[in-house]
Amino acid sequence: MKVGIVGTGNMGSKYIKKFDLLGYEGVLIDKDPERLKVFPDRFKKYTDLEDALKKEDIQYLFVATDPNSHIGIAKKALSSGINVMVEKPPSVKPGELEDAINFAYKNNAVLEVSEIELRSNSIRNLKINGLVKEVNAYRLNLGKGYINPFYDLAWHDLYIFSYLFGDFRLKKVVDKGNIFDIYGETEENSFFLQVAWSHEYLKREWILKTKEGDIVLNFVEDKIEYPTGDVKERDNIDKLELMIKQFIEKPSFESSFRALNILKEFNKFSG
């Protein structure tokens, strides 16, 4: 099976390693020939996507480029009936993503958006008994990002929130410079999310407040702590590998619909 990756930088190189482990034949596409040189010659390499689509029987395409280019690249593959997964955020405007979803439908293809954290132990094995009234979430990183943390880091927590509790509404976003405080709600609960690049300490944690007590999701150690004292430790299933396999075995538009809701909410605060 041939799978393509457009963009062989930091995230793209991680996909390429997984292609090898999963036994897929990877086709590498990057406009920078110098980046392609670092990968073994057993991979087919192209600097032009259209050339690769013409010469290689690519069945699935992954896109790990700048968000501004995601939709244009995806459409080139979707027009040939190729299922596509793009990294987050899939676009900068909700209308672009909505148009791409409709375009995929018309071409009998599927467009997905990367939701790697849904494959973490902390989400896959989470068991919630009763109503979660409130969520306090933190994604504080030590490194730097190329776009502000509201549009990048917060994305992970918002698609998790949407997956667990349905569509949400953002009520307030407070830009403190390096740190963003985000407030939102669904019909049944509310949440507070704080995100930051280059923070003084690393913290990726959710606190789900229930009638029985707090459920703590530790995304750094990938474990769940229940109010009873029970702990579900990391199960060592690779989340990127699992996401790739699930996309190829059972592609779905669910992630794109969640992403569309996120972009619409983001759009309210883009000015």
Side-chain angles (χ1 to χ4, degrees):
M1 179 192 301
K2 285 188 179 181
V3 298
I5 176 72
V6 184
T8 60
N10 177 47
M11 195 63 213
S13 63
K14 294 177 182 177
Y15 278 98
I16 294 166
K17 291 178 182 177
K18 297 305 174 186
F19 294 163
D20 260 0
L21 289 172
L22 292 166
Y24 303 148
E25 186 177 347
V27 178
L28 316 187
I29 305 142
D30 198 305
K31 62 183 180 181
D32 184 355
E34 294 303 312
R35 279 187 176 176
L36 292 171
K37 286 181 181 178
V38 305
F39 298 100
D41 290 337
R42 67 177 179 277
F43 291 109
K44 297 289 183 64
K45 305 174 187 179
Y46 293 86
T47 56
D48 181 77
L49 173 59
E50 292 183 0
D51 191 30
L53 294 176
K54 185 187 301 182
K55 294 179 179 178
E56 305 291 339
D57 183 23
I58 296 173
Q59 295 168 273
Y60 299 87
L61 187 74
F62 297 83
V63 181
T65 59
D66 183 278
N68 289 289
S69 65
H70 284 171
I71 298 302
I73 292 170
K75 280 187 169 181
K76 288 182 179 180
L78 292 169
S79 66
S80 299
I82 297 171
N83 296 326
V84 178
M85 173 177 282
V86 298
E87 274 298 310
K88 53 80 186 171
S91 64
V92 293
K93 297 179 181 178
E96 292 176 340
L97 179 58
E98 192 164 21
D99 178 65
I101 292 171
N102 292 331
F103 186 80
Y105 269 113
K106 290 177 183 177
N107 287 278
N108 295 314
V110 172
L111 175 65
E112 279 202 30
V113 179
S114 170
E115 293 183 328
I116 191 169
E117 293 287 7
L118 294 191
R119 281 75 181 184
S120 66
N121 171 69
S122 302
I123 299 302
R124 281 187 293 103
N125 292 307
L126 175 62
K127 291 179 173 58
I128 301 175
N129 295 318
L131 178 67
V132 175
K133 295 184 177 181
E134 183 182 342
V135 177
N136 292 327
Y138 304 87
R139 190 169 293 266
L140 310 176
N141 278 15
L142 301 175
K144 294 182 179 180
Y146 63 93
I147 58 177
N148 78 52
F150 173 51
Y151 287 99
D152 191 340
L153 295 180
W155 189 277
H156 288 292
D157 299 281
L158 293 175
Y159 69 63
I160 295 171
F161 195 83
S162 182
Y163 172 76
L164 293 176
F165 306 112
D167 287 350
F168 61 86
R169 181 174 70 91
L170 293 183
K171 296 171 62 180
K172 184 169 67 171
V173 176
V174 181
D175 180 356
K176 297 180 177 179
N178 185 47
I179 295 177
F180 280 74
D181 289 347
I182 302 159
Y183 300 83
E185 64 182 5
T186 68
E187 291 183 1
E188 296 185 340
N189 54 29
S190 62
F191 67 90
F192 165 76
L193 168 62
Q194 186 175 77
V195 295
W197 291 115
S198 303
H199 200 265
E200 60 182 329
Y201 56 84
L202 179 66
K203 184 177 183 180
R204 296 174 190 161
E205 181 179 272
W206 276 39
I207 303 168
L208 289 76
K209 297 188 174 296
T210 73
K211 188 177 180 180
E212 290 74 25
D214 293 349
I215 301 173
V216 179
L217 309 183
N218 183 332
F219 288 98
V220 175
E221 298 180 19
D222 201 8
K223 68 179 182 180
I224 310 164
E225 300 173 18
Y226 291 98
T228 58
D230 293 337
V231 177
K232 179 64 177 75
E233 299 285 356
R234 184 198 303 264
D235 59 12
N236 293 320
I237 293 177
D238 187 280
K239 55 188 178 183
L240 178 57
E241 187 175 324
L242 182 59
M243 183 179 74
I244 293 170
K245 286 175 63 178
Q246 289 177 341
F247 167 61
I248 288 176
E249 293 170 4
K250 195 175 180 180
S252 165
F253 281 98
E254 287 184 17
S255 59
S256 289
F257 293 136
R258 280 191 284 268
L260 183 58
N261 181 56
I262 295 172
L263 284 174
K264 287 179 178 178
E265 291 300 309
F266 275 6
N267 202 47
K268 296 176 182 178
F269 299 90
S270 62

